[in-house]
Amino acid sequence: MRIALGSDHAGAELRLEIAAMLEEAGHDVDDLGCEPQQRVDYPKYAAAVAGAVVAGGADRGVLVCGTGIGMSIAANKVVGIRAALVHDVTTARLSSAHNNANILCLGARVLGPTVARECVQAWLETPFEERHQLRLDQIAAME
Ligand code: RB5
C-alpha cells in the first residue's frame, strides 16, 4: 500500500517510528515531513497528506501531532477525507471497519509508541464492512 505520512514537531519522532515500521512491513511510504527539530504549524502537513490521498498519490495517510486533534480537524476539511482520531486498537480497528477512514490521526503526547504502532497495524489490517456504506454516502452528501 502507498501511505503518506505527516506530522508537526510534536509528532515527528512518532512519525519516524511509524515510517520505519511501515517500510519494514513492505509498504511504499511517502514521508511529507516536517523536518526534525523544526517547529511548524500542523495544518500544512494535514493538507499535504490529505491532498495526496484525494489525488490518488497515496492509498491512505497517517498524521501525527501532539493530540491528533488538530490534524484530524484540518484533514477533515478536505473533500473526500475521512480522518479518524484514534486512541487505542479498538477505535483504530473500528475506524476502518465502520468508517473506512482513509487517514489515521494519532496523538504523540497521549499515546505510547507501542500502542500507536498497534493502532496503525489494526487500521491497515481491518477491512471495511460494506453494510456501513450508506452512512458514508450520507456524510459525502454533506460535502
Ligand atoms: C503543538 O503544540 C500542538 O498544539 C499540536 O501538536 C496538536 O496537539 C494540535 O492539535
Side-chain angles (χ1 to χ4, degrees):
M1 203 177 279
R2 293 164 307 160
I3 303 174
L5 300 188
S7 79
D8 68 357
H9 49 283
E13 195 179 326
L14 180 57
R15 186 193 86 236
L16 295 175
E17 281 195 37
I18 291 167
M21 178 196 102
L22 292 172
E23 275 167 1
E24 205 171 305
H27 294 287
D28 181 1
V29 172
D30 189 10
D31 189 346
L32 300 177
C34 63
E35 293 301 322
Q37 315 303 335
Q38 188 188 13
R39 286 192 75 79
V40 297
D41 298 325
Y42 57 81
K44 174 181 170 185
Y45 298 89
V49 169
V53 171
V54 294
D59 301 307
R60 289 188 177 197
V62 177
L63 287 167
V64 190
C65 65
T67 60
I69 296 171
M71 285 295 197
S72 61
I73 291 171
N76 278 314
K77 296 291 181 193
V78 176
V79 171
I81 291 301
R82 294 176 303 279
L85 171 58
V86 304
H87 292 107
D88 49 41
V89 170
T90 302
T91 48
R93 178 174 56 78
L94 290 173
S95 75
S96 204
H98 289 196
N99 312 108
N100 202 11
N102 49 12
I103 291 184
L104 194 75
C105 298
L106 301 167
R109 291 175 177 159
V110 291
L111 286 183
T114 303
V115 173
R117 283 197 300 269
E118 287 172 357
C119 285
V120 174
Q121 205 172 345
W123 170 67
L124 288 174
E125 288 175 359
T126 304
F128 175 57
E129 296 171 10
E130 283 297 330
R131 65 194 168 93
H132 293 282
Q133 184 57 49
L134 180 65
R135 284 97 183 220
L136 301 191
D137 292 343
Q138 290 167 359
I139 293 171
M142 297 164 67
E143 291 178 334

